[in-house]
Short mmCIF file of all heavy atoms in Angstrom, two decimals:
data_model
loop_
_atom_site.label_atom_id
_atom_site.label_comp_id
_atom_site.label_asym_id
_atom_site.label_seq_id
_atom_site.Cartn_x
_atom_site.Cartn_y
_atom_site.Cartn_z
N THR A 893 -61.26 -41.05 -60.05
CA THR A 893 -60.84 -42.43 -60.29
C THR A 893 -61.62 -43.38 -59.41
O THR A 893 -62.04 -43.04 -58.31
CB THR A 893 -59.34 -42.58 -59.99
OG1 THR A 893 -59.09 -42.20 -58.64
CG2 THR A 893 -58.50 -41.71 -60.91
N SER A 894 -61.78 -44.60 -59.90
CA SER A 894 -62.44 -45.64 -59.13
C SER A 894 -61.43 -46.32 -58.23
O SER A 894 -60.22 -46.08 -58.31
CB SER A 894 -63.06 -46.65 -60.08
OG SER A 894 -62.02 -47.34 -60.77
N SER A 895 -61.91 -47.20 -57.37
CA SER A 895 -61.01 -47.92 -56.48
C SER A 895 -60.08 -48.83 -57.27
O SER A 895 -58.94 -49.06 -56.86
CB SER A 895 -61.82 -48.75 -55.47
OG SER A 895 -62.65 -49.69 -56.16
N ALA A 896 -60.52 -49.34 -58.42
CA ALA A 896 -59.66 -50.20 -59.23
C ALA A 896 -58.50 -49.40 -59.80
O ALA A 896 -57.36 -49.86 -59.82
CB ALA A 896 -60.47 -50.84 -60.36
N ASP A 898 -57.38 -46.61 -58.46
CA ASP A 898 -56.56 -46.30 -57.29
C ASP A 898 -55.63 -47.46 -56.96
O ASP A 898 -54.45 -47.25 -56.63
CB ASP A 898 -57.46 -46.01 -56.08
CG ASP A 898 -58.02 -44.59 -56.11
OD1 ASP A 898 -57.55 -43.80 -56.95
OD2 ASP A 898 -58.91 -44.30 -55.30
N LEU A 899 -56.14 -48.68 -57.04
CA LEU A 899 -55.31 -49.85 -56.75
C LEU A 899 -54.14 -49.95 -57.74
O LEU A 899 -53.01 -50.26 -57.36
CB LEU A 899 -56.16 -51.12 -56.81
CG LEU A 899 -55.41 -52.44 -56.56
CD1 LEU A 899 -54.83 -52.46 -55.15
CD2 LEU A 899 -56.34 -53.63 -56.76
N ILE A 902 -51.68 -47.31 -56.64
CA ILE A 902 -51.04 -47.68 -55.36
C ILE A 902 -49.99 -48.76 -55.59
O ILE A 902 -48.85 -48.67 -55.10
CB ILE A 902 -52.11 -48.16 -54.36
CG1 ILE A 902 -52.98 -46.99 -53.90
CG2 ILE A 902 -51.45 -48.84 -53.15
CD1 ILE A 902 -54.22 -47.41 -53.12
N GLY A 941 -53.35 -37.64 -55.64
CA GLY A 941 -53.52 -37.60 -54.19
C GLY A 941 -52.99 -38.80 -53.45
O GLY A 941 -53.26 -38.96 -52.25
N LEU A 942 -52.24 -39.67 -54.11
CA LEU A 942 -51.68 -40.86 -53.45
C LEU A 942 -50.16 -40.68 -53.37
O LEU A 942 -49.44 -40.95 -54.32
CB LEU A 942 -52.03 -42.13 -54.23
CG LEU A 942 -53.54 -42.42 -54.33
CD1 LEU A 942 -53.81 -43.49 -55.38
CD2 LEU A 942 -54.09 -42.88 -52.97
N GLU A 946 -46.51 -41.47 -47.83
CA GLU A 946 -47.65 -41.74 -46.96
C GLU A 946 -48.12 -43.18 -47.11
O GLU A 946 -48.48 -43.85 -46.13
CB GLU A 946 -48.78 -40.76 -47.26
CG GLU A 946 -48.45 -39.31 -46.91
CD GLU A 946 -49.59 -38.36 -47.22
OE1 GLU A 946 -50.64 -38.85 -47.73
OE2 GLU A 946 -49.46 -37.16 -46.94
N LEU A 947 -48.13 -43.68 -48.35
CA LEU A 947 -48.51 -45.07 -48.57
C LEU A 947 -47.55 -46.03 -47.88
O LEU A 947 -47.96 -47.06 -47.33
CB LEU A 947 -48.55 -45.37 -50.07
CG LEU A 947 -49.66 -44.69 -50.89
CD1 LEU A 947 -49.44 -44.95 -52.37
CD2 LEU A 947 -51.03 -45.16 -50.45
N VAL A 950 -48.29 -46.73 -44.13
CA VAL A 950 -49.39 -47.63 -43.78
C VAL A 950 -49.22 -49.01 -44.40
O VAL A 950 -49.80 -49.99 -43.92
CB VAL A 950 -50.74 -47.02 -44.19
CG1 VAL A 950 -51.00 -45.75 -43.40
CG2 VAL A 950 -50.79 -46.74 -45.68
N LEU A 951 -48.42 -49.12 -45.48
CA LEU A 951 -48.15 -50.41 -46.12
C LEU A 951 -46.63 -50.55 -46.29
O LEU A 951 -46.11 -50.49 -47.41
CB LEU A 951 -48.86 -50.50 -47.48
CG LEU A 951 -50.39 -50.48 -47.47
CD1 LEU A 951 -50.93 -50.38 -48.88
CD2 LEU A 951 -50.95 -51.72 -46.77
N PRO A 973 -51.72 -53.73 -41.81
CA PRO A 973 -51.88 -53.45 -40.37
C PRO A 973 -52.89 -54.39 -39.73
O PRO A 973 -53.80 -54.90 -40.40
CB PRO A 973 -52.37 -52.00 -40.36
CG PRO A 973 -53.05 -51.82 -41.68
CD PRO A 973 -52.28 -52.66 -42.65
N GLN A 975 -55.11 -53.53 -37.63
CA GLN A 975 -56.38 -52.83 -37.61
C GLN A 975 -56.63 -52.18 -38.97
O GLN A 975 -55.84 -51.38 -39.44
CB GLN A 975 -56.35 -51.73 -36.52
CG GLN A 975 -56.13 -52.27 -35.12
CD GLN A 975 -57.35 -53.01 -34.60
OE1 GLN A 975 -58.49 -52.70 -34.95
NE2 GLN A 975 -57.13 -54.01 -33.75
N THR A 976 -57.73 -52.53 -39.60
CA THR A 976 -58.02 -51.93 -40.90
C THR A 976 -58.31 -50.45 -40.77
O THR A 976 -58.22 -49.71 -41.75
CB THR A 976 -59.23 -52.62 -41.56
OG1 THR A 976 -60.34 -52.54 -40.67
CG2 THR A 976 -58.92 -54.05 -41.88
N THR A 977 -58.64 -50.02 -39.56
CA THR A 977 -58.88 -48.60 -39.37
C THR A 977 -57.60 -47.79 -39.50
O THR A 977 -57.64 -46.57 -39.61
CB THR A 977 -59.49 -48.34 -37.98
OG1 THR A 977 -58.64 -48.95 -36.99
CG2 THR A 977 -60.88 -48.93 -37.87
N GLY A 978 -56.45 -48.48 -39.54
CA GLY A 978 -55.18 -47.79 -39.73
C GLY A 978 -54.92 -47.42 -41.17
O GLY A 978 -53.97 -46.71 -41.47
N LEU A 979 -55.77 -47.90 -42.07
CA LEU A 979 -55.58 -47.59 -43.49
C LEU A 979 -56.46 -46.41 -43.90
O LEU A 979 -57.62 -46.34 -43.49
CB LEU A 979 -55.97 -48.80 -44.36
CG LEU A 979 -55.03 -50.01 -44.32
CD1 LEU A 979 -55.68 -51.18 -45.06
CD2 LEU A 979 -53.70 -49.67 -44.95
N PRO A 980 -55.91 -45.50 -44.71
CA PRO A 980 -56.76 -44.44 -45.25
C PRO A 980 -57.91 -45.05 -46.04
O PRO A 980 -57.78 -46.14 -46.61
CB PRO A 980 -55.80 -43.66 -46.16
CG PRO A 980 -54.44 -43.95 -45.64
CD PRO A 980 -54.50 -45.36 -45.12
N GLU A 981 -59.01 -44.34 -46.10
CA GLU A 981 -60.23 -44.88 -46.71
C GLU A 981 -59.98 -45.30 -48.16
O GLU A 981 -60.41 -46.37 -48.58
CB GLU A 981 -61.34 -43.83 -46.64
CG GLU A 981 -62.67 -44.34 -47.23
CD GLU A 981 -63.77 -43.30 -47.12
OE1 GLU A 981 -63.54 -42.27 -46.46
OE2 GLU A 981 -64.84 -43.53 -47.69
N ARG A 982 -59.28 -44.44 -48.95
CA ARG A 982 -59.05 -44.76 -50.36
C ARG A 982 -58.19 -46.01 -50.50
O ARG A 982 -58.42 -46.85 -51.38
CB ARG A 982 -58.36 -43.60 -51.07
CG ARG A 982 -59.27 -42.45 -51.41
CD ARG A 982 -58.51 -41.38 -52.18
NE ARG A 982 -58.17 -41.80 -53.52
CZ ARG A 982 -57.41 -41.08 -54.34
NH1 ARG A 982 -56.94 -39.91 -53.95
NH2 ARG A 982 -57.15 -41.51 -55.57
N VAL A 983 -57.20 -46.16 -49.61
CA VAL A 983 -56.32 -47.32 -49.70
C VAL A 983 -57.07 -48.58 -49.31
O VAL A 983 -56.99 -49.62 -49.98
CB VAL A 983 -55.08 -47.12 -48.81
CG1 VAL A 983 -54.20 -48.36 -48.85
CG2 VAL A 983 -54.29 -45.89 -49.24
N ALA A 984 -57.83 -48.52 -48.20
CA ALA A 984 -58.59 -49.70 -47.75
C ALA A 984 -59.60 -50.12 -48.79
O ALA A 984 -59.76 -51.31 -49.09
CB ALA A 984 -59.27 -49.39 -46.42
N ASP A 985 -60.26 -49.13 -49.37
CA ASP A 985 -61.27 -49.45 -50.37
C ASP A 985 -60.63 -50.05 -51.62
O ASP A 985 -61.18 -50.97 -52.23
CB ASP A 985 -62.06 -48.19 -50.74
CG ASP A 985 -63.25 -48.50 -51.63
OD1 ASP A 985 -64.07 -49.35 -51.25
OD2 ASP A 985 -63.32 -47.90 -52.72
N ALA A 986 -59.45 -49.52 -52.00
CA ALA A 986 -58.77 -50.03 -53.19
C ALA A 986 -58.29 -51.46 -52.98
O ALA A 986 -58.48 -52.32 -53.84
CB ALA A 986 -57.59 -49.13 -53.55
N VAL A 987 -57.67 -51.73 -51.80
CA VAL A 987 -57.08 -53.05 -51.58
C VAL A 987 -58.14 -54.09 -51.26
O VAL A 987 -58.20 -55.16 -51.86
CB VAL A 987 -56.03 -52.99 -50.45
CG1 VAL A 987 -55.50 -54.39 -50.13
CG2 VAL A 987 -54.89 -52.06 -50.84
N PHE A 988 -59.02 -53.76 -50.31
CA PHE A 988 -60.00 -54.76 -49.87
C PHE A 988 -61.32 -54.64 -50.62
O PHE A 988 -62.05 -55.62 -50.75
CB PHE A 988 -60.23 -54.64 -48.37
CG PHE A 988 -59.02 -54.99 -47.57
CD1 PHE A 988 -58.28 -54.02 -46.93
CD2 PHE A 988 -58.59 -56.31 -47.49
CE1 PHE A 988 -57.16 -54.34 -46.21
CE2 PHE A 988 -57.46 -56.64 -46.77
CZ PHE A 988 -56.73 -55.65 -46.13
N GLY A 989 -61.61 -53.47 -51.13
CA GLY A 989 -62.86 -53.31 -51.86
C GLY A 989 -62.83 -54.01 -53.20
O GLY A 989 -63.87 -54.24 -53.80
N THR A 990 -61.65 -54.34 -53.68
CA THR A 990 -61.54 -55.01 -54.97
C THR A 990 -61.34 -56.51 -54.80
O THR A 990 -62.05 -57.32 -55.38
CB THR A 990 -60.38 -54.43 -55.77
OG1 THR A 990 -59.20 -54.46 -54.98
CG2 THR A 990 -60.66 -53.00 -56.18
N ARG A 998 -65.81 -57.44 -46.27
CA ARG A 998 -66.72 -56.43 -46.78
C ARG A 998 -65.91 -55.17 -47.15
O ARG A 998 -65.01 -54.78 -46.41
CB ARG A 998 -67.78 -56.06 -45.72
CG ARG A 998 -68.67 -57.21 -45.33
CD ARG A 998 -69.93 -56.68 -44.64
NE ARG A 998 -69.63 -55.81 -43.52
CZ ARG A 998 -69.47 -56.26 -42.27
NH1 ARG A 998 -69.58 -57.55 -42.01
NH2 ARG A 998 -69.22 -55.41 -41.30
N PRO A 999 -66.25 -54.55 -48.22
CA PRO A 999 -65.50 -53.37 -48.64
C PRO A 999 -65.51 -52.26 -47.59
O PRO A 999 -64.55 -51.55 -47.41
CB PRO A 999 -66.22 -52.91 -49.90
CG PRO A 999 -66.99 -54.09 -50.37
CD PRO A 999 -67.34 -54.88 -49.16
N GLU A 1000 -66.67 -52.16 -46.84
CA GLU A 1000 -66.79 -51.00 -45.96
C GLU A 1000 -65.90 -51.10 -44.72
O GLU A 1000 -65.54 -50.09 -44.14
CB GLU A 1000 -68.26 -50.78 -45.54
CG GLU A 1000 -68.87 -51.97 -44.79
CD GLU A 1000 -69.54 -52.95 -45.76
OE1 GLU A 1000 -69.20 -52.90 -46.96
OE2 GLU A 1000 -70.38 -53.72 -45.32
N ASP A 1001 -65.59 -52.30 -44.26
CA ASP A 1001 -64.74 -52.35 -43.05
C ASP A 1001 -63.58 -53.31 -43.19
O ASP A 1001 -62.71 -53.32 -42.33
CB ASP A 1001 -65.57 -52.71 -41.83
CG ASP A 1001 -66.27 -54.07 -41.97
OD1 ASP A 1001 -65.83 -54.89 -42.83
OD2 ASP A 1001 -67.23 -54.31 -41.24
N GLY A 1002 -63.55 -54.13 -44.21
CA GLY A 1002 -62.39 -54.97 -44.46
C GLY A 1002 -62.21 -56.09 -43.46
O GLY A 1002 -61.10 -56.59 -43.30
#
Side-chain angles (χ1 to χ4, degrees):
T893 58
S894 67
S895 60
D898 280 350
L899 179 62
I902 290 169
L942 298 167
E946 294 180 358
L947 292 173
V950 296
L951 295 172
Q975 299 288 330
T976 56
T977 53
L979 289 171
E981 182 178 353
R982 283 183 71 185
V983 177
D985 188 54
V987 175
F988 293 107
T990 52
R998 298 198 305 270
E1000 60 269 20
D1001 59 20

